[in-house]
Amino acid sequence: MQPTIEQLRYFLKDTIRRTIDFSRTDQHRGVPPPPVEKPFAPEAERIALPSPAEWSRVGRVDLAEAISRRRSHRSFLPIALSLDELAFLLWATQGVRRSLAPGAVLRNVPSAGCRHALETYVLALRVEGLEAGVYRYLPLEHQLVLERRDARLAEPLTPATLGQRFVGEASAVLVWTAIPYRMEWRYGLAAHKVIALDAGHVCQNLYLACEAIGAGACAIGAYHQEAIDELIRVDGEDEFTIYLAPVGKVSAEAR
């Protein structure tokens, strides 16, 4: 039987926290924390990203102005993002500031309990210096790891996002997946609401960062779960898509 609307509202409440015996979570049982970054094969092809000191196309924008101009964009210019612009967006949304301890780092976005349960995949459609394909951001190394090349990557994006054609017209699409156990390790059944909140923190940083590079984004919460998971080749259980956003250059009139 399908759950009722009233039952599903429970997800939005923190009532569940009062029902959890936190002494039984893996953290309190002494289980080592999961890694803060999904492992990659040592022989995998990796691309070093420009560091903040090397960004030449990232402008400065007043914060109040960036907030006032923030909007969702569904029309993009056929212009590639530069590698330093992409590096800036990834740094702004998941960049690591400092390692605190095994399994804990400070990033440029907040996360419940410093758990950071998200991974970032980049569907590169038009990015200078990158072949079209699927990449994953490595925040500890500030690198991309190549998942696979795919010259026809734009084609499945419209059906995978339930007919939202503009997604495949972007220069890049950022796909955020959740690895729930990173949060469950500490919070047990109370983990899932805060994972969703964390995704919101990340995407808002993307919107504001886009204002510094003359670009725009559109948060996408409606998509075909299995199709997107298959596109980035995650298992859909221990790791699955939770949010995505196309990014591209926008006209001055649209900003």
Side-chain angles (χ1 to χ4, degrees):
M1 180 182 296
Q2 187 175 19
T4 66
I5 287 178
E6 289 76 15
Q7 288 171 326
L8 291 174
R9 286 175 182 166
Y10 186 72
F11 174 78
L12 294 173
K13 301 178 182 179
D14 209 34
T15 312
I16 194 170
R17 194 179 299 270
R18 300 200 302 269
T19 71
I20 297 170
D21 180 357
F22 283 96
S23 70
R24 299 178 64 85
T25 64
D26 280 357
Q27 179 185 23
H28 284 271
R29 292 171 53 239
V31 176
V36 298
E37 178 183 272
K38 184 178 175 181
F40 56 90
E43 69 276 11
E45 183 177 339
R46 289 185 281 162
I47 298 93
L49 293 171
S51 67
E54 300 172 302
W55 297 335
S56 61
R57 301 193 193 178
V58 178
R60 293 186 177 274
V61 61
D62 178 77
L63 179 59
E65 182 180 356
I67 292 173
S68 68
R69 293 196 324 215
R70 184 223 60 79
R71 54 162 289 191
S72 293
H73 291 271
R74 296 175 178 83
S75 180
F76 304 109
L77 299 174
I79 300 173
L81 290 177
S82 68
L83 196 59
D84 58 342
E85 288 171 332
L86 178 61
F88 167 63
L89 297 180
L90 294 170
W91 173 87
T93 52
Q94 281 288 272
V96 170
R97 296 179 180 179
R98 182 161 58 96
S99 294
L100 298 177
V105 293
L106 294 179
R107 303 199 189 198
N108 289 331
V109 288
S111 176
C114 202
R115 297 312 309 140
H116 295 287
L118 305 181
E119 289 282 329
T120 304
Y121 291 78
V122 178
L123 310 184
L125 304 176
R126 287 191 301 273
V127 179
E128 294 174 5
L130 290 182
E131 295 182 71
V134 180
Y135 300 79
R136 179 163 55 90
Y137 181 49
L138 303 176
L140 295 178
E141 294 82 6
H142 192 53
Q143 296 176 342
L144 291 173
V145 60
L146 175 67
E147 298 286 341
R148 75 176 194 282
R149 296 176 177 84
D150 188 345
R152 304 178 68 176
L153 186 59
E155 294 179 12
L157 283 174
T158 297
T161 54
L162 309 180
Q164 298 181 84
R165 189 176 301 277
F166 65 92
V167 178
E169 297 170 351
S171 297
V173 182
L174 271 58
V175 179
W176 295 289
T177 64
I179 298 182
Y181 179 65
R182 286 188 196 159
M183 197 71 75
E184 293 163 348
W185 173 82
R186 172 166 290 179
Y187 294 120
L189 289 174
H192 308 121
K193 173 186 173 180
V194 290
I195 291 174
L197 293 175
D198 280 7
H201 302 323
V202 169
C203 196
Q204 181 68 351
N205 264 29
L206 175 68
Y207 270 81
L208 296 179
C210 280
E211 294 297 325
I213 61 169
C218 182
I220 301 291
Y223 52 87
H224 189 292
Q225 186 70 53
E226 292 78 13
I228 291 290
D229 287 347
E230 182 178 349
L231 189 65
I232 60 174
R233 297 184 181 174
V234 296
D235 64 19
E237 294 296 333
D238 294 321
E239 181 181 8
F240 49 83
T241 303
I242 191 170
Y243 214 8
L244 60 143
V247 176
K249 293 289 187 172
V250 296
S251 66
E253 293 77 16
R255 296 203 296 272

